[in-house]
């Protein structure tokens, strides 16, 4: 039987909140949720049951998550992300320059950030 441990489907990193969003959207069946997350129908049903049995707690934490998401990242995290993007773009430019110089082709990498 599937179990929920520390708000996660046992043996996965999938949380009850991951399932919650899809479960609330009535266009998603339990089978579709199982397929998108690569879990069993039984695991989806365990998460849905957990949500129903712990509704107040699940919604309280959900509201905390939404507030944290709305605040965005702290400025120091945003600065680190900007530095990482700059390094990645520089690396990409260097690889592209090397490819042009040697005439070799590589799989095109996205420059989207």
């Amino acid at each position: 039987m599937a179990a929920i441990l520390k708000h996660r489907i046992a043996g996965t990193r999938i949380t009850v909140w991951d399932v919650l969003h899809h479960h609330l959207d009535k266009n998603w069946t339990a089978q579709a949720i199982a397929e998108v997350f690569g879990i069993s129908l039984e695991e989806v049903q365990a998460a849905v049951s957990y949500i129903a049995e712990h509704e107040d707690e699940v919604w309280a934490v959900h509201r905390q998550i939404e507030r944290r998401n709305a605040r965005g990242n702290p400025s120091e995290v945003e600065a680190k992300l900007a530095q990482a993007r700059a390094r990645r773009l520089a690396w990409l430019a260097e690889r592209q320059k090397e490819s042009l110089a040697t005439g070799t082709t590589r799989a095109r990498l996205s420059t989207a950030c």
Side-chain angles (χ1 to χ4, degrees), residues 27-90:
N27 292 321
W28 283 82
T29 64
Q31 185 62 44
I33 295 169
E35 289 173 10
V36 79
F37 287 117
I39 58 177
S40 71
L41 191 55
E42 181 185 15
E43 289 170 318
V44 172
Q45 292 165 339
V48 170
S49 293
Y50 182 92
I51 291 165
E53 292 166 12
H54 301 89
E55 187 173 356
D56 290 341
E57 176 193 3
V58 168
W59 281 106
V61 174
H62 174 71
R63 285 189 295 275
Q64 289 175 345
I65 293 168
E66 291 297 320
R67 283 192 298 271
R68 185 178 60 228
N69 288 344
R71 283 193 309 266
N73 290 323
S75 57
E76 60 272 10
V77 172
E78 286 296 329
K80 287 180 181 181
L81 288 170
Q83 291 171 349
R85 284 185 200 106
R87 284 192 305 270
R88 186 177 66 249
L89 290 174

Side-chain angles (χ1 to χ4, degrees), residues 11-41:
T12 75
R13 296 190 63 177
I14 300 165
T15 69
V16 294
W17 297 282
D18 295 326
V19 174
L20 176 68
H21 288 283
H22 296 292
H23 176 65
L24 291 175
D25 182 344
K26 297 304 178 192
N27 292 321
W28 283 82
T29 64
Q31 185 62 44
I33 295 169
E35 289 173 10
V36 79
F37 287 117
I39 58 177
S40 71
L41 191 55

